[in-house]
């Protein structure tokens, strides 16, 4: 299958590219830079120049493919509204290019805040109307038009070597402030998945998915934030402390809202339907490896 992958040089996308090529698929990767193009060529993929804002590049990439995996997103959570709107336009463009065919489109979303706090989110749950996801709304609209669209929700922590997401930001904060903190009693939970397990699931969804179905790429259903903070404290050799809800915003900044939620999620239906079985290390085991603390300084630069 000839597969168009957006975000092909990203942390998750690059793992998907390798997974697809190893399974004898041909990959067309969306890239903006010469460095990205070189990386894709080295991986054995074809280069397609463009960006999320260049809708014609998305249309032509999808039109030339047998299926599309959409992982690109503008990761500016301090300016989330415009980023989500750009994602919606990109999904609509990709889906329109596939309309009238049985070619699959896989849209990436997230498990965070799908359900009310403390409830286990499952694949059957629609997104929370108090925290709407334009990506899922766009996917549902395309499915209603007959486009073979499915949604793959990822947990807030997709981990592994090269991660520059939430957990490295927590490590950077702990390094800067010389304490590793959790909020309140730290019993609120984050689900997680290793990037290689997630990449394998994307391929299974591409090959086996039904239209209009939601899948969950979750390995750890819920790791307590206290355990995350303790692993970070151990890795940096700094004290582990609790911060009150009032103190959290000052200590964590914008990430406090995310780190304070209790949002466990299940992938039981996904595993049953697709035969997906996570085999990579869990989040805490991965945090106990040295690579997270070797790259903590890089995360500071990426988030600044």
């Amino acid at each position: 299958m000839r597969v168009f992958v957006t975000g092909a040089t990203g942390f998750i996308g690059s793992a998907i590219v390798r997974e697809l090529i190893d399974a004898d698929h041909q990959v067309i990767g969306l890239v903006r830079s010469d460095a990205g193009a070189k990386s894709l060529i080295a991986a054995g993929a074809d280069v397609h120049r463009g960006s999320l804002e260049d809708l014609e590049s998305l249309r032509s990439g999808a039109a030339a493919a047998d299926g599309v995996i959409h992982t690109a997103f503008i990761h500016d959570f301090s300016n989330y509204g415009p980023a989500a709107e750009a994602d919606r336009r990109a999904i609509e463009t990709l889906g329109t290019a596939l309309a009238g065919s049985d070619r699959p489109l896989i849209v990436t979303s997230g498990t965070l805040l799908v359900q009310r706090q403390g409830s286990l989110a499952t694949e059957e749950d629609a997104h929370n109307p108090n925290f709407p996801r334009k990506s899922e709304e766009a996917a549902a609209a395309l499915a209603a038009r007959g486009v073979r669209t499915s949604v793959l929700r990822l947990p807030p922590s997709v981990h592994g070597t090269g991660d520059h997401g939430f957990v490295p930001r927590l490590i950077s904060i702990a390094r800067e402030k010389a304490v590793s903190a959790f909020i309140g009693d730290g019993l609120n939970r984050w689900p997680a998945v290793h990037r290689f397990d997630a990449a394998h699931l994307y391929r299974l969804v591409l090959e086996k998915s039904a239209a209009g179905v939601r899948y969950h790429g979750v390995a750890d259903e819920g790791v307590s934030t206290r355990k995350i903070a303790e692993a970070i404290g151990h890795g940096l050799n700094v004290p582990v402390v609790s911060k009150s809800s009032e103190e959290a915003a000052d200590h964590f900044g914008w990430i406090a809202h995310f780190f304070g939620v209790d949002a466990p999620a299940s992938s039981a239906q996904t595993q049953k339907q697709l035969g997906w079985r996570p085999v990579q290390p869990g989040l805490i085991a991965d945090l106990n490896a040295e690579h997270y603390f070797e790259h903590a300084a890089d995360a500071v630069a990426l988030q600044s």
Side-chain angles (χ1 to χ4, degrees), residues 126-205:
H127 64 82
N128 188 331
N130 295 321
F131 191 72
R133 284 169 167 78
K134 291 189 176 182
S135 59
E136 296 196 21
E137 292 173 350
L142 289 169
R145 291 167 47 193
V147 180
R148 186 180 158 193
T149 307
S150 54
V151 170
L152 202 167
R153 288 173 175 162
L154 295 175
S157 181
V158 180
H159 55 91
T161 303
D163 182 3
H164 52 266
F166 285 130
V167 168
R169 181 59 187 150
L170 292 171
I171 293 171
S172 297
I173 292 168
R175 186 188 293 276
E176 292 162 7
K177 303 201 173 184
V179 295
S180 179
F182 54 89
I183 301 172
D185 59 14
L187 296 181
N188 59 301
R189 296 156 291 176
W190 265 18
V193 68
H194 194 283
R195 65 189 288 249
F196 292 154
D197 283 327
H200 181 55
L201 178 57
Y202 272 97
R203 177 170 68 82
L204 292 178
V205 174

Side-chain angles (χ1 to χ4, degrees), residues 23 28 40 47 49 80 114 148-149 157 172 187 256 262 274 279 285:
I28 317 165
L40 271 183
V47 171
R49 293 279 187 168
Y80 180 79
V114 165
R148 186 180 158 193
T149 307
S157 181
S172 297
L187 296 181
D262 184 28
L274 299 180
V279 297

Side-chain angles (χ1 to χ4, degrees), residues 11-52:
F11 177 62
I12 299 169
S14 58
I16 294 170
V17 168
R18 172 51 51 201
E19 172 77 21
L20 292 174
I21 290 174
D22 287 347
D24 295 325
H25 292 291
Q26 183 180 359
V27 175
I28 317 165
L30 181 72
V31 293
R32 293 179 296 176
S33 67
D34 291 340
K38 289 179 181 178
S39 174
L40 271 183
I41 291 169
D46 294 333
V47 171
H48 185 82
R49 293 279 187 168
S51 69
L52 280 186

